[in-house]
Amino acid sequence: MPGMRAVFAAHAVSMVGTLAAEVALSILIFQRTGSALWSALVLVCSFLPYAVVGTVLSSLADRFRPRRVLVCCDLLSAVCIAGMLIPGTPIPALLGLLLITGFIAPLFQGARAASLSHLLDGNLFPIGRSLLRTISQTAVVFGFAVGSVLVAAIGPLWLLAVDSCSFVVSAVLIGLWTPAAPASAPDGERTLRAVVKESGEGLRHIWANRPLRRLVLLTWAVPGFSSVGDGLAVAYTAEAGSAATAAGWLFTGYAVGTVVGELVVVQLSPDTRRRLITPLVVGSQIPLIGFFLGPSVPMAAALLALSGAGFACNQGIDPLILSATAPTYRGRLFTVQNSGLMTVQGLGVALSGALGTHIDPGVVIGATGIAGTAVVVYLARRQ
């Protein structure tokens, strides 16, 4: 469809810029403070806003035309990143600006998904979302790698400037070359109280609809359990007697597996994707159980790649979610879905990290595989 290339190009530009900026800001803060804690707060500020926005501000994705929301989100993010370039900006202010971009991100993602649901039919919609996920996972691999190289070459401040420009480029691509889509629920008061009220209505709509609720929980459970590999990557490589740098194999393993899984499953028919939901969600968890055997780092990376391939289950789940949701709630639904996914992943990584300080990391990952298999089988069988 005309304009879709601009949608995907804008996503790729802003994703790579955002990930590279996280690297740059983490290094910049560490250089200025020498504190690993302050540096780690960069990731906290990236995950934390998702829980808030998905709860109280999700209705903004339905109130306005998606293209307008997307452009405004990109421009606001560009301004926040540019603000980090001001000399002498205190560390709390840097984190505060990052926190604002974190609040913007889930609204952007919800509006983009709602836009795709208007622009693509039921068969093409899951393919469109699959392409976005593929771009995201590819950006994880290249964004962090490019960020590390560029920080060494040009310094963190220049890299932040490049990231600010990437949001401007994304806004131009969306504003000038992507198709317009209508607002899902344009009527109503435009006050903060009304926004919060309607966001609550969206949460009740999801929670009261049992099939829809189970589908959304399933999309959270799959990455929520399988993300522990990332959280314990460094600890596992150390336990295996490898250098800390070998953790990069584990970080990229899941992302590469996700990309391959998406590219394979997208070739299949819609009915086949639907039938593969249960095998794929189970396949996302079973490989983690292999960590009980203490595999070598390359074998562990292969297990995480197999786990990541199961994330392609969303290609079968997305059409079911779309058909179970009233059009006026789509923006809120996708904002809540994305926000919950990021929140659950963040909590999973944090919890696994805490357990990994007291228990063998391989045991924690293997036990998570057993628990994850039980949960996803329960949720998938109820569809």
Side-chain angles (χ1 to χ4, degrees), residues 159-195:
L159 187 52
L160 288 172
V162 171
D163 180 44
S164 181
C165 292
S166 76
F167 281 111
V168 175
V169 171
S170 176
V172 171
L173 288 170
I174 293 170
L176 298 182
W177 288 292
T178 62
S184 299
D187 299 327
E189 297 179 49
R190 295 187 177 182
T191 63
L192 179 59
R193 183 176 181 179
V195 167

mmCIF file of all heavy atoms in Angstrom, residues 159-195:
data_model
loop_
_atom_site.group_PDB
_atom_site.id
_atom_site.type_symbol
_atom_site.label_atom_id
_atom_site.label_comp_id
_atom_site.label_asym_id
_atom_site.label_seq_id
_atom_site.Cartn_x
_atom_site.Cartn_y
_atom_site.Cartn_z
ATOM 1 N N LEU A 159 26.301 11.836 19.593
ATOM 2 C CA LEU A 159 25.371 10.750 19.296
ATOM 3 C C LEU A 159 23.955 11.122 19.733
ATOM 4 O O LEU A 159 22.976 10.783 19.058
ATOM 5 C CB LEU A 159 25.824 9.471 19.997
ATOM 6 C CG LEU A 159 25.035 8.198 19.656
ATOM 7 C CD1 LEU A 159 24.938 7.994 18.152
ATOM 8 C CD2 LEU A 159 25.666 6.985 20.325
ATOM 9 N N LEU A 160 23.836 11.831 20.853
ATOM 10 C CA LEU A 160 22.520 12.313 21.263
ATOM 11 C C LEU A 160 21.963 13.307 20.244
ATOM 12 O O LEU A 160 20.759 13.318 19.970
ATOM 13 C CB LEU A 160 22.614 12.966 22.649
ATOM 14 C CG LEU A 160 22.820 12.016 23.834
ATOM 15 C CD1 LEU A 160 23.088 12.816 25.112
ATOM 16 C CD2 LEU A 160 21.601 11.118 24.027
ATOM 17 N N ALA A 161 22.828 14.130 19.681
ATOM 18 C CA ALA A 161 22.382 15.074 18.644
ATOM 19 C C ALA A 161 21.867 14.324 17.419
ATOM 20 O O ALA A 161 20.846 14.700 16.824
ATOM 21 C CB ALA A 161 23.537 16.001 18.256
ATOM 22 N N VAL A 162 22.563 13.247 17.054
ATOM 23 C CA VAL A 162 22.106 12.427 15.922
ATOM 24 C C VAL A 162 20.741 11.810 16.231
ATOM 25 O O VAL A 162 19.857 11.755 15.368
ATOM 26 C CB VAL A 162 23.143 11.321 15.613
ATOM 27 C CG1 VAL A 162 22.590 10.321 14.602
ATOM 28 C CG2 VAL A 162 24.433 11.941 15.081
ATOM 29 N N ASP A 163 20.544 11.377 17.469
ATOM 30 C CA ASP A 163 19.263 10.790 17.853
ATOM 31 C C ASP A 163 18.142 11.813 17.760
ATOM 32 O O ASP A 163 17.040 11.508 17.287
ATOM 33 C CB ASP A 163 19.350 10.240 19.280
ATOM 34 C CG ASP A 163 18.028 9.625 19.718
ATOM 35 O OD1 ASP A 163 17.417 8.897 18.923
ATOM 36 O OD2 ASP A 163 17.594 9.897 20.848
ATOM 37 N N SER A 164 18.399 13.045 18.211
ATOM 38 C CA SER A 164 17.390 14.104 18.106
ATOM 39 C C SER A 164 17.001 14.312 16.642
ATOM 40 O O SER A 164 15.808 14.434 16.313
ATOM 41 C CB SER A 164 17.925 15.403 18.712
ATOM 42 O OG SER A 164 16.949 16.423 18.644
ATOM 43 N N CYS A 165 17.984 14.302 15.771
ATOM 44 C CA CYS A 165 17.709 14.468 14.338
ATOM 45 C C CYS A 165 16.918 13.281 13.791
ATOM 46 O O CYS A 165 16.084 13.440 12.891
ATOM 47 C CB CYS A 165 19.010 14.621 13.567
ATOM 48 S SG CYS A 165 19.888 16.162 13.908
ATOM 49 N N SER A 166 17.171 12.084 14.340
ATOM 50 C CA SER A 166 16.455 10.899 13.840
ATOM 51 C C SER A 166 14.953 11.017 14.101
ATOM 52 O O SER A 166 14.141 10.573 13.287
ATOM 53 C CB SER A 166 17.013 9.626 14.484
ATOM 54 O OG SER A 166 16.580 9.470 15.829
ATOM 55 N N PHE A 167 14.577 11.625 15.234
ATOM 56 C CA PHE A 167 13.161 11.830 15.513
ATOM 57 C C PHE A 167 12.550 12.853 14.548
ATOM 58 O O PHE A 167 11.396 12.721 14.140
ATOM 59 C CB PHE A 167 12.959 12.286 16.961
ATOM 60 C CG PHE A 167 13.028 11.168 17.962
ATOM 61 C CD1 PHE A 167 14.074 11.068 18.854
ATOM 62 C CD2 PHE A 167 12.037 10.203 18.010
ATOM 63 C CE1 PHE A 167 14.147 10.036 19.775
ATOM 64 C CE2 PHE A 167 12.087 9.165 18.923
ATOM 65 C CZ PHE A 167 13.149 9.074 19.809
ATOM 66 N N VAL A 168 13.314 13.864 14.191
ATOM 67 C CA VAL A 168 12.825 14.850 13.219
ATOM 68 C C VAL A 168 12.615 14.184 11.860
ATOM 69 O O VAL A 168 11.598 14.410 11.188
ATOM 70 C CB VAL A 168 13.804 16.030 13.097
ATOM 71 C CG1 VAL A 168 13.366 16.984 11.993
ATOM 72 C CG2 VAL A 168 13.911 16.775 14.423
ATOM 73 N N VAL A 169 13.568 13.356 11.454
ATOM 74 C CA VAL A 169 13.439 12.633 10.188
ATOM 75 C C VAL A 169 12.199 11.740 10.212
ATOM 76 O O VAL A 169 11.429 11.683 9.238
ATOM 77 C CB VAL A 169 14.700 11.783 9.910
ATOM 78 C CG1 VAL A 169 14.486 10.865 8.715
ATOM 79 C CG2 VAL A 169 15.900 12.687 9.669
ATOM 80 N N SER A 170 11.996 11.044 11.329
ATOM 81 C CA SER A 170 10.817 10.188 11.469
ATOM 82 C C SER A 170 9.532 11.005 11.357
ATOM 83 O O SER A 170 8.572 10.601 10.682
ATOM 84 C CB SER A 170 10.861 9.459 12.817
ATOM 85 O OG SER A 170 9.692 8.701 13.020
ATOM 86 N N ALA A 171 9.491 12.180 11.995
ATOM 87 C CA ALA A 171 8.309 13.035 11.925
ATOM 88 C C ALA A 171 8.023 13.489 10.494
ATOM 89 O O ALA A 171 6.860 13.537 10.058
ATOM 90 C CB ALA A 171 8.489 14.259 12.836
ATOM 91 N N VAL A 172 9.083 13.821 9.757
ATOM 92 C CA VAL A 172 8.909 14.255 8.365
ATOM 93 C C VAL A 172 8.373 13.102 7.514
ATOM 94 O O VAL A 172 7.446 13.282 6.701
ATOM 95 C CB VAL A 172 10.251 14.768 7.796
ATOM 96 C CG1 VAL A 172 10.133 15.007 6.289
ATOM 97 C CG2 VAL A 172 10.655 16.060 8.500
ATOM 98 N N LEU A 173 8.940 11.919 7.688
ATOM 99 C CA LEU A 173 8.480 10.752 6.925
ATOM 100 C C LEU A 173 7.008 10.462 7.189
ATOM 101 O O LEU A 173 6.229 10.185 6.271
ATOM 102 C CB LEU A 173 9.327 9.531 7.277
ATOM 103 C CG LEU A 173 10.767 9.503 6.750
ATOM 104 C CD1 LEU A 173 11.542 8.350 7.379
ATOM 105 C CD2 LEU A 173 10.764 9.357 5.228
ATOM 106 N N ILE A 174 6.624 10.535 8.463
ATOM 107 C CA ILE A 174 5.229 10.252 8.825
ATOM 108 C C ILE A 174 4.304 11.369 8.349
ATOM 109 O O ILE A 174 3.237 11.119 7.774
ATOM 110 C CB ILE A 174 5.098 10.066 10.344
ATOM 111 C CG1 ILE A 174 5.831 8.790 10.781
ATOM 112 C CG2 ILE A 174 3.634 9.994 10.768
ATOM 113 C CD1 ILE A 174 5.963 8.625 12.274
ATOM 114 N N GLY A 175 4.719 12.616 8.584
ATOM 115 C CA GLY A 175 3.847 13.745 8.263
ATOM 116 C C GLY A 175 3.621 13.956 6.781
ATOM 117 O O GLY A 175 2.527 14.368 6.365
ATOM 118 N N LEU A 176 4.629 13.681 5.963
ATOM 119 C CA LEU A 176 4.520 13.983 4.533
ATOM 120 C C LEU A 176 4.191 12.781 3.661
ATOM 121 O O LEU A 176 3.594 12.948 2.589
ATOM 122 C CB LEU A 176 5.833 14.612 4.038
ATOM 123 C CG LEU A 176 6.237 15.952 4.666
ATOM 124 C CD1 LEU A 176 7.515 16.463 4.031
ATOM 125 C CD2 LEU A 176 5.113 16.981 4.517
ATOM 126 N N TRP A 177 4.567 11.582 4.092
ATOM 127 C CA TRP A 177 4.461 10.455 3.168
ATOM 128 C C TRP A 177 3.662 9.265 3.682
ATOM 129 O O TRP A 177 3.628 8.224 3.037
ATOM 130 C CB TRP A 177 5.861 9.992 2.765
ATOM 131 C CG TRP A 177 6.529 10.963 1.841
ATOM 132 C CD1 TRP A 177 6.181 11.249 0.550
ATOM 133 C CD2 TRP A 177 7.647 11.787 2.142
ATOM 134 N NE1 TRP A 177 7.013 12.202 0.028
ATOM 135 C CE2 TRP A 177 7.937 12.555 0.982
ATOM 136 C CE3 TRP A 177 8.454 11.966 3.267
ATOM 137 C CZ2 TRP A 177 8.974 13.473 0.925
ATOM 138 C CZ3 TRP A 177 9.485 12.878 3.211
ATOM 139 C CH2 TRP A 177 9.740 13.615 2.055
ATOM 140 N N THR A 178 3.038 9.369 4.843
ATOM 141 C CA THR A 178 2.214 8.249 5.287
ATOM 142 C C THR A 178 0.739 8.578 5.149
ATOM 143 O O THR A 178 0.332 9.742 5.279
ATOM 144 C CB THR A 178 2.503 7.889 6.761
ATOM 145 O OG1 THR A 178 2.176 9.011 7.592
ATOM 146 C CG2 THR A 178 3.949 7.534 6.953
ATOM 147 N N PRO A 179 -0.107 7.580 4.872
ATOM 148 C CA PRO A 179 -1.544 7.823 4.693
ATOM 149 C C PRO A 179 -2.190 8.299 5.986
ATOM 150 O O PRO A 179 -1.767 7.936 7.088
ATOM 151 C CB PRO A 179 -2.086 6.456 4.282
ATOM 152 C CG PRO A 179 -0.898 5.663 3.847
ATOM 153 C CD PRO A 179 0.255 6.177 4.649
ATOM 154 N N ALA A 180 -3.223 9.115 5.833
ATOM 155 C CA ALA A 180 -3.978 9.585 6.997
ATOM 156 C C ALA A 180 -5.000 8.538 7.403
ATOM 157 O O ALA A 180 -5.531 7.804 6.570
ATOM 158 C CB ALA A 180 -4.676 10.901 6.669
ATOM 159 N N ALA A 181 -5.263 8.440 8.695
ATOM 160 C CA ALA A 181 -6.280 7.529 9.221
ATOM 161 C C ALA A 181 -7.143 8.319 10.196
ATOM 162 O O ALA A 181 -6.667 9.257 10.848
ATOM 163 C CB ALA A 181 -5.631 6.342 9.923
ATOM 164 N N PRO A 182 -8.419 7.965 10.326
ATOM 165 C CA PRO A 182 -9.296 8.724 11.224
ATOM 166 C C PRO A 182 -9.025 8.418 12.687
ATOM 167 O O PRO A 182 -8.464 7.372 13.027
ATOM 168 C CB PRO A 182 -10.696 8.233 10.816
ATOM 169 C CG PRO A 182 -10.460 6.835 10.327
ATOM 170 C CD PRO A 182 -9.121 6.867 9.648
ATOM 171 N N ALA A 183 -9.439 9.354 13.539
ATOM 172 C CA ALA A 183 -9.383 9.104 14.976
ATOM 173 C C ALA A 183 -10.431 8.051 15.329
ATOM 174 O O ALA A 183 -11.524 8.036 14.764
ATOM 175 C CB ALA A 183 -9.628 10.390 15.749
ATOM 176 N N SER A 184 -10.100 7.162 16.240
ATOM 177 C CA SER A 184 -11.035 6.090 16.594
ATOM 178 C C SER A 184 -12.205 6.606 17.416
ATOM 179 O O SER A 184 -13.344 6.167 17.257
ATOM 180 C CB SER A 184 -10.303 4.987 17.374
ATOM 181 O OG SER A 184 -9.285 4.414 16.598
ATOM 182 N N ALA A 185 -11.944 7.549 18.321
ATOM 183 C CA ALA A 185 -13.003 8.084 19.194
ATOM 184 C C ALA A 185 -12.764 9.575 19.381
ATOM 185 O O ALA A 185 -12.293 10.020 20.426
ATOM 186 C CB ALA A 185 -13.006 7.360 20.535
ATOM 187 N N PRO A 186 -13.095 10.397 18.360
ATOM 188 C CA PRO A 186 -12.743 11.812 18.397
ATOM 189 C C PRO A 186 -13.594 12.677 19.314
ATOM 190 O O PRO A 186 -13.213 13.791 19.659
ATOM 191 C CB PRO A 186 -12.938 12.247 16.939
ATOM 192 C CG PRO A 186 -14.000 11.327 16.438
ATOM 193 C CD PRO A 186 -13.753 10.014 17.106
ATOM 194 N N ASP A 187 -14.768 12.189 19.710
ATOM 195 C CA ASP A 187 -15.687 13.020 20.496
ATOM 196 C C ASP A 187 -15.348 12.963 21.986
ATOM 197 O O ASP A 187 -14.700 12.039 22.465
ATOM 198 C CB ASP A 187 -17.129 12.556 20.279
ATOM 199 C CG ASP A 187 -17.549 12.676 18.821
ATOM 200 O OD1 ASP A 187 -17.060 13.610 18.163
ATOM 201 O OD2 ASP A 187 -18.328 11.827 18.352
ATOM 202 N N GLY A 188 -15.822 13.956 22.705
ATOM 203 C CA GLY A 188 -15.637 13.971 24.152
ATOM 204 C C GLY A 188 -14.788 15.137 24.624
ATOM 205 O O GLY A 188 -14.166 15.835 23.840
ATOM 206 N N GLU A 189 -14.803 15.357 25.934
ATOM 207 C CA GLU A 189 -14.026 16.450 26.524
ATOM 208 C C GLU A 189 -12.527 16.175 26.389
ATOM 209 O O GLU A 189 -12.092 15.047 26.506
ATOM 210 C CB GLU A 189 -14.358 16.585 28.015
ATOM 211 C CG GLU A 189 -15.793 16.960 28.309
ATOM 212 C CD GLU A 189 -16.035 17.044 29.805
ATOM 213 O OE1 GLU A 189 -15.213 17.709 30.474
ATOM 214 O OE2 GLU A 189 -16.998 16.460 30.279
ATOM 215 N N ARG A 190 -11.774 17.243 26.164
ATOM 216 C CA ARG A 190 -10.330 17.091 26.025
ATOM 217 C C ARG A 190 -9.636 17.662 27.264
ATOM 218 O O ARG A 190 -8.808 18.555 27.189
ATOM 219 C CB ARG A 190 -9.850 17.758 24.750
ATOM 220 C CG ARG A 190 -10.413 17.082 23.505
ATOM 221 C CD ARG A 190 -9.839 17.614 22.225
ATOM 222 N NE ARG A 190 -10.360 16.883 21.076
ATOM 223 C CZ ARG A 190 -10.013 17.099 19.811
ATOM 224 N NH1 ARG A 190 -9.136 18.044 19.531
ATOM 225 N NH2 ARG A 190 -10.536 16.393 18.831
ATOM 226 N N THR A 191 -10.023 17.137 28.412
ATOM 227 C CA THR A 191 -9.397 17.514 29.670
ATOM 228 C C THR A 191 -8.657 16.304 30.217
ATOM 229 O O THR A 191 -8.925 15.152 29.828
ATOM 230 C CB THR A 191 -10.452 17.973 30.694
ATOM 231 O OG1 THR A 191 -11.330 16.865 30.986
ATOM 232 C CG2 THR A 191 -11.269 19.126 30.139
ATOM 233 N N LEU A 192 -7.718 16.552 31.135
ATOM 234 C CA LEU A 192 -6.955 15.451 31.715
ATOM 235 C C LEU A 192 -7.876 14.473 32.431
ATOM 236 O O LEU A 192 -7.705 13.250 32.323
ATOM 237 C CB LEU A 192 -5.910 15.996 32.688
ATOM 238 C CG LEU A 192 -5.037 14.945 33.400
ATOM 239 C CD1 LEU A 192 -4.270 14.117 32.371
ATOM 240 C CD2 LEU A 192 -4.082 15.621 34.368
ATOM 241 N N ARG A 193 -8.872 15.020 33.116
ATOM 242 C CA ARG A 193 -9.814 14.147 33.838
ATOM 243 C C ARG A 193 -10.555 13.232 32.871
ATOM 244 O O ARG A 193 -10.744 12.037 33.144
ATOM 245 C CB ARG A 193 -10.796 15.008 34.626
ATOM 246 C CG ARG A 193 -11.777 14.197 35.465
ATOM 247 C CD ARG A 193 -12.643 15.114 36.299
ATOM 248 N NE ARG A 193 -13.563 14.361 37.134
ATOM 249 C CZ ARG A 193 -14.428 14.912 37.977
ATOM 250 N NH1 ARG A 193 -14.468 16.243 38.112
ATOM 251 N NH2 ARG A 193 -15.227 14.154 38.692
ATOM 252 N N ALA A 194 -10.976 13.791 31.727
ATOM 253 C CA ALA A 194 -11.686 12.989 30.731
ATOM 254 C C ALA A 194 -10.777 11.937 30.123
ATOM 255 O O ALA A 194 -11.192 10.799 29.871
ATOM 256 C CB ALA A 194 -12.253 13.903 29.641
ATOM 257 N N VAL A 195 -9.512 12.322 29.892
ATOM 258 C CA VAL A 195 -8.541 11.378 29.324
ATOM 259 C C VAL A 195 -8.340 10.195 30.268
ATOM 260 O O VAL A 195 -8.346 9.034 29.847
ATOM 261 C CB VAL A 195 -7.204 12.086 29.045
ATOM 262 C CG1 VAL A 195 -6.101 11.064 28.750
ATOM 263 C CG2 VAL A 195 -7.343 13.043 27.863
#
